[in-house]
């Protein structure tokens, strides 16, 4: 299979050849002929499969005809994060080297003025995150009625980040007669519903079965104690034992990103950190340093690292086991890209038994251990679990033992101690119920409703207030 017989224009084929691609990846081979034809496409593919080119190349071909009008973009790509949006803009630059299309990037953290100027000039391609796009729209700077092609990328990430209502609002501003290309790594029911409403008789293309890891990634687990210092030492051991050229190290919480980063620097490793609190400029600078090989280890959280296109990461380290099995696939998808060999290792502590089981169930296969595999009794059972020092709400059971929180980064990280402190200080709600206590909301054992703290009123609450 070559790029010649997918229906792409000669200009696009020349650009792809100049980039050095010799044959299309499976998602490109399957999606491009339909997309070039103007059909709707539902692409189930994770990053690393070449999905960006699978929509950029046919868009370039289709946009060769026609011209953009001021404030009326001809195509719109919605991305969940600024980095992804910037990467797609870079892809247009790369593959569109033979075209004279105007690409406008509307992302937060950058001034409105320059973005307005681009819009005024008339954009052939508008790449945006949902929030900033709506901001521009509300300021009257944008008309979406001229959009001929809509791309929704990483739809499941948008869902995770709570962007679906925004995406639905945006879709209502678009003309119903348009082409829609919809991509998601996984297809949970909410995403299927969205796809059903957005797409018109789509061609469904599955580049990899949902939620499976690329076959070129060697995956390993390493058992470690819960103790943070010992866990960091276990990671350093891995870093020393494996031939790590460059790696992304994932933590579940941004606080741990900072701690691990500092510790790695202290131990002489060449590392940078990437977390959601950094501004756009800092994130881009860090990423550039990593991409350029000026720094070899990148400590990151899921939100900050979402969709990063770093072509040849030799290793992924999961310092923490992700609470959502899908996140595991997303994380390790940063290595073993486009057919290259990759290596992904994950540290597993006695508290992680269930989370690891959820991952192996989803993968449909076990992951090999480095060293001896721990016995069953090495893992804490959920009920008998002792609250661990310095662990997040999920581990401490503060979430009530239900489904772990979706985005740990967006919920401020709290150690078990913090949660306790907050409850003790307990600001009260108007009804006198301490905030943070949900006992009044849920029926207690035996169906009786317990109000406030029930019998367990702490002594300080019984003390009479001191007059000021
Ligand atoms: P993506 O899944 O779009 O993030 O792409 C992953 C990586 O694959 C990017 O670094 C692309 O530059 C690269 N890539 C995309 N298409 C091809 C291709 N046909 N041959 C080789 N590499 C490709």
């Amino acid at each position: 299979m070559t790029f010649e017989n997918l229906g792409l224009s000669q200009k696009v084929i020349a650009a792809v050849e100049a980039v050095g691609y010799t044959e299309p990846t499976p998602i490109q081979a399957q999606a491009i002929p339909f997309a070039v034809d103007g059909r709707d496409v539902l692409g189930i593919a994770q990053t690393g499969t070449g999905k960006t080119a699978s929509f950029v190349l046919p868009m370039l071909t289709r946009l060769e005809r026609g011209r953009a009008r001021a404030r009326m973009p001809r195509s719109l790509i919605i991305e969940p994060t600024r980095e992804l949006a910037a990467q797609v803009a870079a892809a247009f630059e790369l593959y569109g080297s033979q075209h004279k299309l105007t690409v406008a990037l509307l992302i937060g953290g950058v001034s409105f003025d320059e973005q307005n100027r681009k819009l005024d000039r008339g954009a052939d391609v508008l790449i945006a995150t949902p929030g900033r796009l709506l901001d521009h729209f509300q300021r009257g700077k944008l008309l979406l009625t001229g959009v001929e092609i809509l791309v929704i990328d990483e739809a499941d990430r948008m869902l995770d980040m709570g962007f679906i209502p925004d995406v639905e609002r945006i879709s209502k501003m678009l003309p119903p007669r348009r082409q829609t290309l919809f991509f998601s790594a996984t297809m949970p029911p909410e995403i299927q519903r969205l796809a059903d409403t957005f797409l018109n008789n789509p061609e469904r293309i599955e580049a990899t079965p949902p939620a499976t890891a690329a076959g070129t990634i060697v995956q390993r687990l390493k058992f470690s104690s819960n103790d943070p210092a010992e866990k960091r030492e276990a990671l350093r051991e891995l870093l020393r034992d494996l031939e790590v050229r460059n790696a992304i190290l994932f933590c579940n919480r941004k606080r741990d990103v900072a701690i691990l980063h500092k510790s790695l620097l202290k131990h002489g490793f060449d590392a940078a950190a990437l977390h959601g609190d950094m501004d756009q400029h800092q994130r881009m600078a860090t990423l550039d340093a990593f991409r350029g090989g000026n720094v070899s280890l990148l400590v990151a959280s899921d939100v900050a690292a979402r969709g990063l296109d770093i072509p040849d990461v030799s290793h992924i380290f999961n310092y923490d086991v992700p609470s959502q099995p899908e996140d595991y696939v997303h994380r390790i998808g940063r290595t073993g890209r486009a057919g290259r060999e990759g290596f992904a290792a994950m540290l597993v502590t006695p508290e992680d038994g269930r989370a690891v089981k959820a991952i192996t169930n989803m993968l449909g296969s076990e992951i090999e251990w480095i060293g001896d595999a721990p016995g069953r009794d090495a893992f804490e059972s959920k009920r008998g679990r002792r609250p661990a020092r310095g662990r997040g709400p999920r581990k401490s059971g503060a979430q009530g033992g239900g489904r772990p929180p979706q985005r740990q980064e967006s919920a401020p990280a709290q150690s078990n101690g913090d949660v306790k402190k907050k409850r003790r200080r307990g600001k009260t709600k108007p009804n006198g119920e301490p905030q943070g206590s949900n006992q009044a909301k849920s029926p207690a054992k035996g169906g009786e409703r317990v109000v406030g703290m029930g019998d367990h009123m702490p002594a300080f609450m019984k003390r009479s207030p001191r007059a000021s």
Side-chain angles (χ1 to χ4, degrees), residues 155-219:
D156 52 352
R157 289 289 140 208
M158 307 245 204
L159 176 73
D160 279 0
M161 297 171 84
F163 289 160
I164 296 302
D166 282 353
V167 174
E168 289 185 309
R169 275 180 64 200
I170 294 165
S171 80
K172 293 202 176 95
M173 302 163 186
L174 301 170
R177 274 176 63 85
R178 54 157 202 262
Q179 178 184 23
T180 305
L181 310 172
F182 188 106
F183 292 87
S184 191
T186 55
M187 285 302 285
E190 298 94 318
I191 293 300
Q192 187 61 56
R193 179 191 67 77
L194 202 67
D196 291 343
T197 50
F198 279 17
L199 295 163
N200 177 21
N201 185 27
E203 188 62 31
R204 184 185 166 104
I205 290 157
E206 217 162 310
T208 44
T212 55
T216 51
I217 305 173
V218 177
Q219 300 173 59

Side-chain angles (χ1 to χ4, degrees), residues 16-33:
V16 167
E17 267 172 19
V19 174
Y21 300 160
T22 49
E23 69 176 308
T25 65
I27 182 106
Q28 291 163 3
Q30 294 173 68
I32 291 174

Side-chain angles (χ1 to χ4, degrees), residues 98-119:
Q98 319 272 322
H99 296 71
K100 286 201 177 69
L101 296 178
T102 311
V103 178
L105 183 61
L106 302 191
I107 52 178
V110 181
S111 98
F112 276 89
D113 292 346
E114 203 191 318
Q115 296 178 352
N116 284 337
R117 274 197 291 278
K118 270 264 167 81
L119 289 175

Side-chain angles (χ1 to χ4, degrees), residues 396-407:
S396 69
Q399 298 290 327
R403 191 175 143 91
Q406 282 266 319
R407 296 252 60 84

Side-chain angles (χ1 to χ4, degrees), residues 164-444:
I164 296 302
D166 282 353
V167 174
E168 289 185 309
R169 275 180 64 200
I170 294 165
S171 80
K172 293 202 176 95
M173 302 163 186
L174 301 170
R177 274 176 63 85
R178 54 157 202 262
Q179 178 184 23
T180 305
L181 310 172
F182 188 106
F183 292 87
S184 191
T186 55
M187 285 302 285
E190 298 94 318
I191 293 300
Q192 187 61 56
R193 179 191 67 77
L194 202 67
D196 291 343
T197 50
F198 279 17
L199 295 163
N200 177 21
N201 185 27
E203 188 62 31
R204 184 185 166 104
I205 290 157
E206 217 162 310
T208 44
T212 55
T216 51
I217 305 173
V218 177
Q219 300 173 59
R220 293 288 182 270
L221 303 177
K222 183 173 168 73
F223 195 68
S224 151
S225 93
N226 284 334
D227 180 80
E230 285 177 26
K231 198 174 168 187
R232 288 195 294 271
E233 174 51 29
L235 177 75
R236 289 195 295 274
E237 226 171 77
L238 281 178
L239 288 170
R240 286 187 210 110
D241 291 351
L242 298 166
E243 264 178 45
V244 179
R245 182 167 34 84
N246 60 353
I248 307 181
L249 297 82
F250 283 98
C251 298
N252 285 355
R253 297 174 302 162
K254 60 187 168 192
R255 196 188 64 167
D256 291 334
V257 168
I259 296 172
L260 183 60
H261 174 221
K262 211 166 140 198
S263 157
L264 286 167
L265 291 180
K266 203 178 99 192
H267 284 86
F269 288 91
D270 164 25
L274 195 72
H275 56 77
D277 277 354
M278 291 163 78
D279 68 29
Q280 177 71 357
H281 180 75
Q282 287 173 313
R283 284 207 257 181
M284 291 292 190
T286 306
L287 270 181
D288 283 346
F290 187 63
R291 274 200 201 100
N294 298 328
V295 56
S296 52
L297 303 179
L298 188 65
V299 190
S301 61
D302 292 286
V303 169
R306 181 124 311 135
L308 297 186
D309 178 23
I310 301 155
D312 53 349
V313 177
S314 73
H315 289 69
I316 292 294
F317 293 94
N318 279 297
Y319 179 74
D320 292 314
V321 176
S323 55
Q324 301 290 314
E326 293 82 11
D327 281 343
Y328 176 77
V329 177
H330 280 283
R331 288 180 181 186
I332 72 167
R334 321 272 161 222
T335 182
R337 290 186 143 204
R340 291 186 193 92
E341 279 254 308
F343 192 104
M346 180 157 71
L347 290 176
V348 177
T349 72
E351 292 179 345
D352 296 326
R354 272 167 177 256
V356 171
K357 191 87 203 113
I359 291 169
T360 52
N361 283 348
M362 184 197 63
L363 296 174
S365 60
E366 295 298 314
I367 306 174
E368 264 182 53
W369 291 88
I370 295 175
D372 291 336
R376 265 170 169 244
D377 52 357
F379 292 102
E380 290 172 14
S381 69
K382 192 146 185 163
R383 208 177 279 176
R385 190 190 285 164
R386 212 170 8 94
R389 252 187 326 129
R391 301 296 303 227
R394 175 168 72 89
K395 312 282 179 183
S396 69
Q399 298 290 327
R403 191 175 143 91
Q406 282 266 319
R407 296 252 60 84
Q408 298 203 12
E409 192 188 6
S410 50
Q414 283 174 331
S415 69
N416 194 32
D418 291 338
V419 172
K420 277 189 190 149
K421 247 183 268 159
K422 226 182 179 171
R423 288 202 174 158
R424 242 180 277 133
R425 274 194 233 115
K427 283 184 196 150
T428 46
K429 288 181 183 174
N431 63 1
E433 175 201 338
Q435 275 182 6
S437 160
N438 44 19
Q439 295 187 25
K441 282 180 231 140
S442 54

